[in-house]
Every structure is written in C-alpha cells, then in structure tokens.
Amino acid sequence: MKKNTINFWVDIIIFIDLMVVIFTGILIHRFPYEIKGGTLLGFPRFEWGDLHWVLALFLIFLILLHLVFHWTWARGSFNKYLGIGPKMLSIIVTVIVLFFCMVAPLYLTKDFPDRKVLRDTYRASYSLKFEKDEVTQEKQRRD
C-alpha cells in the first residue's frame, strides 16, 4: 500500500475516532449521575465512560502514528521555523509524550477514588433499584 493511502486512512480513522470521543464526552457530561438505574442505548453511564477512555487512548495512539508518518515534514518544519535539529526535536517529543502519558495522569488522578469501588457501588445501587422495582411491581400485581 502506498504511503499516501495509509496516511489517508489513518486520518479518516482519526477523524471518526475524534467524533466518537466528542460524542461520548458530551453524553457522559449530559448523562446525570443521579439516574442510577438509567441507561442510554442499553449502556449505563460507567460503560459509556469506559468506552470514552478506550477511544481516547486509541486516538492518542493514532495521533502518534500520524506523527510518525509525517516525521520528515515535522523535522523540516521545526528546523526551518524554530532552528531545532532532529536530535533535539526527538528529545522534546519524547519528554512531552512521557509527561502527558505517564506523569500527568498520575498527578491529576491521585485524589480520585478507586474506579472499581465506584463501579461496584454503582452496579450494586443499580441492582438494588431493579430489585425494588420488581418487588413493587409484584405487590401491584397482587393488589
């Protein structure tokens, strides 16, 4: 396959993934946490959050792949406009990637509760609500 064809498909997939990440982000933002038993298109809020997270990681991978495919252009542009050589550009990109992929999430999420505890709490409250609704419906049928 030609390099231009691969670039085209990578860019199309990046666009589609970005649109889905935006959609799920807005969905999560507008999906009230208080609706414990609610689902949208058959998925509860935490499942949409998991999908959003996986798609965001995939988007980061695709953007890095895009950068690899356009490395020659990036190297020439940085050298032309900023006077940065290829070795320094490689160091800068590596530091930025390491910071944002490893250090920033650890620092930003240090005060968050454990996600498994939250998910288990959510699922437990969802199942309790479901059981309460079944009991209520059963009582209504008897009466």
Side-chain angles (χ1 to χ4, degrees), residues 130-143:
F130 186 71
E131 289 171 7
K132 287 178 185 177
D133 289 344
E134 283 182 343
V135 170
T136 304
Q137 291 173 359
E138 186 64 34
K139 285 181 181 178
Q140 290 174 351
R141 281 187 227 143
R142 288 183 199 160
D143 295 338

Side-chain angles (χ1 to χ4, degrees), residues 1-18 58-70:
M1 210 185 271
K2 290 183 176 180
K3 186 176 179 182
N4 287 340
T5 306
I6 295 171
N7 284 334
F8 172 77
W9 286 110
V10 167
D11 291 347
I12 292 295
I13 294 170
I14 286 174
F15 176 74
I16 292 169
D17 191 21
L18 178 64
F58 185 59
L59 183 62
I60 291 169
F61 168 75
L62 289 173
I63 290 171
L64 290 175
L65 184 64
H66 179 84
L67 181 62
V68 167
F69 285 140
H70 293 87

